């Protein structure tokens, strides 16, 4: 956090703290449970006696969260360019569910916290959670026009990930995608937990997720292979291939016991119409053991190994170990309506499942069923998410899935 931002927060805490100190003397409701940020770097929490402050480092905004039974809740309201106030715990909220590439949704985090039923508004039915779909189809969640901000006034808060859109006073930016590693992104459950006074639950979930993740990473580090498998995340668009350099994806590979393609490969793009580019791309792929194809598909169910081979323009497959060993993967296994990938929701909240998937991809046992990745080299298809798949009580929090770690 910059020194000016830190100074501003301290001033805010001092001013509001003086008010709540007087309230505390007169029996005001005090903050009783707290969260400490241990991994994430893009938001910070501060606690007063009857309020909390979230400092969002991605958009520079601060959220003053005031306990609903405090005197300050009835007389204090902020809606400025750098500060907004909310009364907590939220009585309800809405979420921007409109599809954007790489925009992260919060359904599974809400379910882990036990507040999914409090989500009363959505902006599209592109829902990567079967239980969120169930609530929508039962009429418990309302469809809202995202182009009319006034429609969101009925909600205590509206959570968005598209920070560039026009924002009303009750908009709050939920942006775990700005973090650089999987555990940092997962810790954003504490961000939502603060709005619901559910810090204890958020702490419990994150601790479980982190412990399982670190245990799996330790097991992967002890694999006895002579050489680490080399992994390439790559994407095809408009005749051009590129290797992905997103830090959190590279971190997944390292934690799964693999090695990312050499950093000395500094060419950014490869045009398949250019013979020199194509030859260089094929040469690099001949050194790779596992490929993760991130190419966007209008219909993921139709994207298979033949699609990949056509895009990479290859005839002789003998050079490519990842094809010989059948290790060509995509992270679109769980998808709803051909649009909403659970990679941008459940995979963010439970990175231990992603790590377990990648460990199986790098060190196959045949005894583990992946959650988010499908192996198109073996003809694995998608799982189409539907409301009929929700077999849980949505009024209760869901526990994170833990993978056996030995």
């Amino acid at each position: 956090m910059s020194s000016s931002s830190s100074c501003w927060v301290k001033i805010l805490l001092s001013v509001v703290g003086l008010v709540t100190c007087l309230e505390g003397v007169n029996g005001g409701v005090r903050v009783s449970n707290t969260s400490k940020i241990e991994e994430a770097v893009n938001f910070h929490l501060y606690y007063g006696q009857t309020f909390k402050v979230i400092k969002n480092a991605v958009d520079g905004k601060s959220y003053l969260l005031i306990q609903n039974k405090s005197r300050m809740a009835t007389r204090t309201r902020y809606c400025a360019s750098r500060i907004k106030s909310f009364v907590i715990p939220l009585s309800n909220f809405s979420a921007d569910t409109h599809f954007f590439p790489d925009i992260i949704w919060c359904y599974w985090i809400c379910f882990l916290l036990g507040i999914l039923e409090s989500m009363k508004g959505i902006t599209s039915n592109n829902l990567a959670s079967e239980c969120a779909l169930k609530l929508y189809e039962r009429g418990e969640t309302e469809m809202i026009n995202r182009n009319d901000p006034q429609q969101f006034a009925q909600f205590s808060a509206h959570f968005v990930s598209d920070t560039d859109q026009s924002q009303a006073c009750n908009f709050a930016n939920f942006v775990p995608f700005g973090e650089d590693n999987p555990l940092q992104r997962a810790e954003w459950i504490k961000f939502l937990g603060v709005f619901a006074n559910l810090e204890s639950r958020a702490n419990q979930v994150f601790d479980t997720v982190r412990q399982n993740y670190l245990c799996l990473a330790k097991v992967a580090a002890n694999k006895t292979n002579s050489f680490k498998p080399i992994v390439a995340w790559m994407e095809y668009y408009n005749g051009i291939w590129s290797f992905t350099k997103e830090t959190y994806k590279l971190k997944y590979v390292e934690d799964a016991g693999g090695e990312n393609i050499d950093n000395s490969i500094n060419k950014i793009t490869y045009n398949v119409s250019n013979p020199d580019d194509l030859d260089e791309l094929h040469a690099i792929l001949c050194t790779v053991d596992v490929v993760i194809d991130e190419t966007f598909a209008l219909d993921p169910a139709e994207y298979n190994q033949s699609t990949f081979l056509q895009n990479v323009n290859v005839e002789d497959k003998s050079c490519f170990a990842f094809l010989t060993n059948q290790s060509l993967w995509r992270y679109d296994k769980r998808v709803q309506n051909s649009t909403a990938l659970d990679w941008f929701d459940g995979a963010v909240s439970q990175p231990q499942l992603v790590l377990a998937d990648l460990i199986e991809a790098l060190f196959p046992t045949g005894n583990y069923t992946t959650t988010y990745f499908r192996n198109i080299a073996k003809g694995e298809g998608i799982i189409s998410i539907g409301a009929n798949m929700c077999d849980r009580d949505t009024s209760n929090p869901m526990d994170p899935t833990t993978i056996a770690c030995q």
Side-chain angles (χ1 to χ4, degrees):
M1 185 188 306
S2 67
S3 59
S4 60
S5 297
S6 178
C7 180
W8 185 93
V9 170
K10 289 178 181 177
I11 293 172
L12 173 64
L13 288 172
S14 298
V15 173
V16 181
L18 177 60
V19 175
T20 54
C21 178
L22 296 175
E23 287 189 355
V25 172
N26 292 292
V29 178
R30 301 192 179 198
V31 173
S32 59
N33 64 87
T34 63
S35 283
K36 179 181 178 182
I37 306 306
E38 301 168 279
E39 299 282 349
V41 299
N42 284 334
F43 76 99
H44 310 274
L45 302 177
Y46 305 88
Y47 287 90
Q49 294 185 34
T50 61
F51 70 93
K52 315 167 191 180
V53 173
I54 303 177
K55 177 65 179 178
N56 191 329
V58 174
D59 59 14
K61 289 184 170 61
S62 293
Y63 305 126
L64 172 61
L65 311 183
I66 307 168
Q67 296 293 343
N68 61 359
K69 294 183 180 180
S70 69
R71 296 177 185 177
M72 186 167 52
T74 61
R75 63 189 185 208
T76 302
R77 180 173 175 80
Y78 292 101
C79 182
S81 61
R82 299 291 296 276
I83 177 174
K84 295 180 179 181
S85 59
F86 298 82
V87 175
I88 59 169
L90 300 177
S91 57
N92 59 30
F93 64 92
S94 55
D96 190 352
T97 56
H98 194 75
F99 173 73
F100 295 94
D102 297 334
I103 292 298
I104 293 172
W105 300 303
C106 61
Y107 321 126
W108 284 111
I109 288 181
C110 292
F111 205 175
L112 290 165
L113 285 173
I115 59 173
L116 186 61
E117 291 191 353
S118 295
M119 185 173 70
K120 297 301 183 182
I122 55 177
T123 58
S124 82
N125 61 355
N126 293 321
L127 306 173
S129 161
E130 44 265 55
C131 291
L133 271 172
K134 181 179 179 179
L135 292 176
Y136 170 65
E137 293 185 1
R138 289 196 317 209
E140 297 183 31
T141 306
E142 178 184 359
M143 186 78 73
I144 303 296
N145 180 1
R146 71 184 302 269
N147 295 317
D148 182 6
Q150 292 302 317
Q151 291 196 25
F152 300 104
Q154 61 187 294
F155 305 110
S156 299
H158 178 62
F159 293 102
V160 300
S161 290
D162 179 15
T163 58
D164 293 329
Q165 66 176 295
S166 175
Q167 298 196 1
C169 290
N170 64 336
F171 280 39
N173 291 317
F174 176 76
V175 283
F177 62 80
E179 302 286 356
D180 285 339
N181 75 51
L183 289 178
Q184 289 176 348
R185 291 152 66 94
E187 196 169 21
W188 277 73
I189 189 173
K190 296 180 181 179
F191 180 94
L192 291 183
V194 171
F195 280 88
N197 281 347
L198 289 172
E199 282 95 330
S200 294
R201 174 63 185 174
N203 296 342
Q204 178 188 14
V205 170
F206 180 69
D207 287 346
T208 299
V209 166
R210 182 172 61 171
Q211 290 171 13
N212 196 215
Y213 185 100
L214 294 177
C215 181
L216 291 171
K218 183 177 180 180
V219 169
N222 292 328
K223 296 291 184 180
T224 57
N225 293 34
S226 300
F227 300 99
K228 294 181 178 181
I230 298 176
V231 182
W233 299 78
M234 55 192 301
E235 180 179 18
Y236 179 77
Y237 177 71
N238 199 25
I240 295 175
W241 280 99
S242 59
F243 291 106
T244 302
K245 295 294 186 180
E246 289 178 275
T247 307
Y248 83 94
K249 294 174 181 175
L250 304 182
K251 177 64 173 171
Y252 267 131
V253 169
E254 295 169 1
D255 289 344
E259 182 177 335
N260 293 291
I261 57 173
D262 199 313
N263 286 331
S264 64
I265 300 174
N266 53 19
K267 182 174 172 57
I268 298 175
T269 60
Y270 301 83
N271 190 329
V272 296
S273 299
N274 183 315
D276 291 337
D277 274 13
L278 188 61
D279 196 42
E280 187 173 351
L281 174 64
H282 289 172
I284 294 170
L285 290 179
C286 282
T287 70
V288 172
D289 300 299
V290 178
V291 165
I292 302 172
D293 181 2
E294 303 182 75
T295 303
F296 172 76
L298 287 174
D299 185 358
E302 296 298 319
Y303 196 104
N304 52 35
Q305 178 172 285
S306 296
T307 313
F308 171 82
L309 293 176
Q310 180 180 350
N311 289 341
V312 84
N313 196 8
V314 64
E315 296 179 1
D316 182 6
K317 300 182 290 185
S318 61
C319 173
F320 304 115
F322 66 92
L323 293 176
T324 302
N325 297 328
Q326 295 185 301
S327 195
L328 174 59
W329 300 81
R330 288 178 60 83
Y331 53 58
D332 58 2
K333 183 173 182 177
R334 283 179 45 84
V335 61
Q336 188 265 328
N337 195 29
S338 299
T339 303
L341 271 60
D342 203 16
W343 173 258
F344 298 114
D345 188 3
V348 177
S349 61
Q350 298 205 69
Q352 79 281 10
L353 301 183
V354 178
L355 184 61
D357 282 6
L358 284 174
I359 292 173
E360 178 65 21
L362 273 57
F363 307 99
T365 65
N367 299 322
Y368 176 78
T369 301
T370 57
T371 303
Y372 300 107
F373 286 89
R374 63 185 179 106
N375 191 344
I376 60 175
K378 293 185 176 181
E380 188 175 1
I382 66 165
I383 294 174
S384 183
I385 300 171
N388 61 318
M389 299 167 61
C390 178
D391 57 0
R392 300 176 183 270
D393 181 355
T394 54
S395 64
N396 294 324
M398 180 186 74
D399 290 328
T401 302
T402 55
I403 304 299
C405 182
Q406 300 177 355

